[in-house]
Structures are given as C-alpha cells and as structure tokens.
Amino acid sequence: MVKIGEVKGYGTSMYYDQPEGRKFEAKISVGAAMLNNNKKNHAVADITTGLSVPVGERAAIEADANVQLGKEVTGGGGEARFVFDANPRLSINAGAGVHYNNFDQQMTQQQYEFNSGNMSGEKPFYKDEYSFAGEGLKYHKTRDTERTIYGTAGVDYKLSDKFTLSGGVALGKKLIQGEEYGTVEQGKYTYVVKEGGYEQIEPALPDEPPMYTEIPAQTATQEKTVIQRNLVENSAFTGNVRLGASYNITKNLQAGVMGSIPLNNQSDGFVGAKLTLKF
C-alpha cells in the first residue's frame, strides 16, 4: 500500500491509498493581477473556469476560459491544452488560445488657429483661388482593442504531492485596433464665383498708351468644417515566458501565483495570485 503524501501514479493522487490516473475535473479560480500593457499597469480581477477530461491514464485535454475586470480595461479569452504525464512528477503540455483586451480610450487635444489658401494676393482673384481661416482641433485617441492568437507549450513539475512548479512559453500574433488621430477645422471659406479681370480705359490723348482698371472677382463666403481622420490598425508578434507555482491547501482547494514575462514591447506582462476550487 502506498502511504498518503507520496507521489504515486499519474496525475492528482495525493489523497488516495491506491495509484490513481487522471480523472474528470472542473475548477473555478478567483484572483487578482497586475497587467502591464503599452508601458502602463492595470489592476484587474481575474475569474477563470476550466475542465480537465482524461484521455487514458496518463493524458488529458484541458480547457480554460477567463474574464478580467479592471478600472480601465476588461478582457478575457480561452485556452485548450493537451497534457501528457511523462512520469509521476513531470507533465508536458501544448495548446493554443485566444485573448482580448478592451481599453477605455484616452484622448488628447490641442487647439490652434489656421489661415490657409492659395491666393496670390490679399483677396481671391482667379477662378481657382480660395482662402480658409478659423480655429482647428488636433486630437489623438489611444488604442481600444487588442486580439491575440497564440500557441503555448510548458511543463509542470511536482516537488511533492502539495507543491507544483510550472513553466512555459506562449508565442502568437496580436491585432491592435482603435487608435485614431486627426484634425477638425472650422472657419470661413471664401471662394471665387466669377473670376476677376481688367477693363481698358481710353486715354485722354490719342498718343497716350491705353490704361486698364482691375475688375475684382465676385466671391462668396460660407462656414465650412473639414475633418481628417486616420485609423490605425496593425499587428505584432507577441511572446511571453510563463512561470507559476501552486500549493494544495486541501484536496479541493489550491493557492497559486503566476507571472508572464514579455519578450518584446508589444507583449503583455502579467503577475498575480489566485485561489482555485476543484470539483
């Protein structure tokens, strides 16, 4: 008979007298974390639910879904993994997942005065000349959505029946949307309705050269608003090193800490703690 406390069999087995293989398992986790995104930290609450479905004695399919709620960001996603127990202590996993972040947009504004046009003089004269003068507003909105698709691989190592260390990598592609910048200009737009010209004046004396007088252009003025918008959509490679540790408080209650170290400035860093209840 195997003593309680020994690592025996494959999978979770610390509270049984006989070697056990993997079993069907459901879980729910509640925790808090700090998300570092775009050089800014966001505190979030994290709620995760998951299932583990055995495939034989030494393997399982695991699926998780989570929601993150914060003051300036909400997010969530899902991940599925195939887990294989190489030996009673070491488990290897590989899978794929999707994750999204929705951010409260931040906007900066700058006001300015403008006076533009293509006039050759002080007033419009030729057919294509115009003037446009007034006040403008330059603005910039930050990104508001991110979507990431990634693959993951990792290992879990049992130091004992109660304490487990985890590590792995996640590599993927992030689509960044929602960033916008542009200008709004409002003012008076003056344009030529009838082009100006010149009228000849007969000289007072026959031997004097002819003289000309300028006939001004006929113009019209109206209020005009010009809006220029640029929406930014780009994608980037993302990569993270995942680290974690968990401790089994009881048969069904587990405490853990986890972290995610970004490999570039487009990847999200993450550190947090959680309690997991298993069924």
Side-chain angles (χ1 to χ4, degrees):
M1 177 178 293
V2 180
K3 295 181 180 179
I4 296 177
E6 293 181 351
V7 176
K8 54 191 183 329
Y10 293 96
T12 304
S13 57
M14 65 197 115
Y15 295 100
Y16 300 95
D17 291 336
Q18 299 298 325
E20 293 285 341
R22 284 188 170 267
K23 293 185 176 182
F24 179 87
E25 187 176 78
K27 67 179 182 180
I28 182 169
S29 300
V30 178
M34 188 66 71
L35 170 68
N36 182 275
N37 175 275
N38 199 24
K39 299 181 180 180
K40 187 174 182 180
N41 291 325
H42 305 271
V44 296
D46 186 284
I47 303 172
T48 302
T49 60
L51 292 174
S52 179
V53 180
V55 182
E57 291 292 317
R58 299 174 59 181
I61 300 293
E62 294 182 349
D64 296 334
N66 81 312
V67 175
Q68 294 175 342
L69 304 173
K71 183 178 179 181
E72 296 179 339
V73 58
T74 59
E79 183 175 308
R81 299 173 301 277
F82 177 77
V83 183
F84 178 75
D85 296 329
N87 59 51
R89 290 187 181 271
L90 180 66
S91 297
I92 303 170
N93 63 78
V98 296
H99 188 83
Y100 70 90
N101 286 324
N102 289 338
F103 297 93
D104 293 340
Q105 279 193 321
Q106 306 296 320
M107 184 167 70
T108 57
Q109 299 179 347
Q110 179 183 355
Q111 290 184 323
Y112 61 94
E113 293 183 353
F114 69 91
N115 191 340
S116 61
N118 62 353
M119 298 184 304
S120 57
E122 294 183 359
K123 296 181 179 180
F125 186 82
Y126 296 105
K127 181 175 62 176
D128 296 328
E129 290 186 326
Y130 71 92
S131 67
F132 185 33
E135 293 186 348
L137 177 69
K138 182 183 296 184
Y139 70 90
H140 174 245
K141 291 182 179 180
T142 58
R143 70 181 67 176
D144 66 345
T145 62
E146 295 177 343
R147 302 289 185 270
T148 305
I149 301 175
Y150 60 91
T152 181
V155 296
D156 295 329
Y157 186 78
K158 292 182 179 180
L159 294 179
S160 68
D161 263 353
K162 286 184 174 290
F163 193 65
T164 301
L165 295 178
S166 302
V169 295
L171 304 175
K173 183 178 182 180
K174 176 187 290 186
L175 177 63
I176 302 169
Q177 295 175 300
E179 185 178 7
E180 178 182 338
Y181 62 92
T183 58
V184 179
E185 293 183 339
Q186 294 179 314
K188 295 186 180 298
Y189 179 75
T190 301
Y191 60 97
V192 174
V193 177
K194 182 178 179 181
E195 190 175 57
Y198 296 92
E199 182 179 5
Q200 183 175 334
I201 301 175
E202 293 297 331
L205 298 174
D207 57 347
E208 289 183 350
M211 299 179 65
Y212 295 90
T213 183
E214 182 180 297
I215 301 175
Q218 297 180 16
T219 62
T221 300
Q222 64 184 34
E223 294 291 332
K224 185 176 182 180
T225 301
V226 176
I227 301 175
Q228 294 182 331
R229 303 172 62 227
N230 291 281
L231 297 176
V232 179
E233 179 177 311
N234 55 40
S235 60
F237 164 80
T238 63
N240 297 80
V241 176
R242 294 178 169 182
L243 300 172
S246 61
Y247 182 81
N248 294 310
I249 301 172
T250 67
K251 177 180 177 181
N252 300 106
L253 184 63
Q254 183 183 79
V257 293
M258 63 284 190
S260 181
I261 303 172
L263 297 179
N264 61 11
N265 58 9
Q266 293 292 351
S267 304
D268 299 333
F270 192 83
V271 61
K274 62 182 179 180
L275 286 174
T276 300
L277 181 63
K278 298 181 179 181
F279 305 92

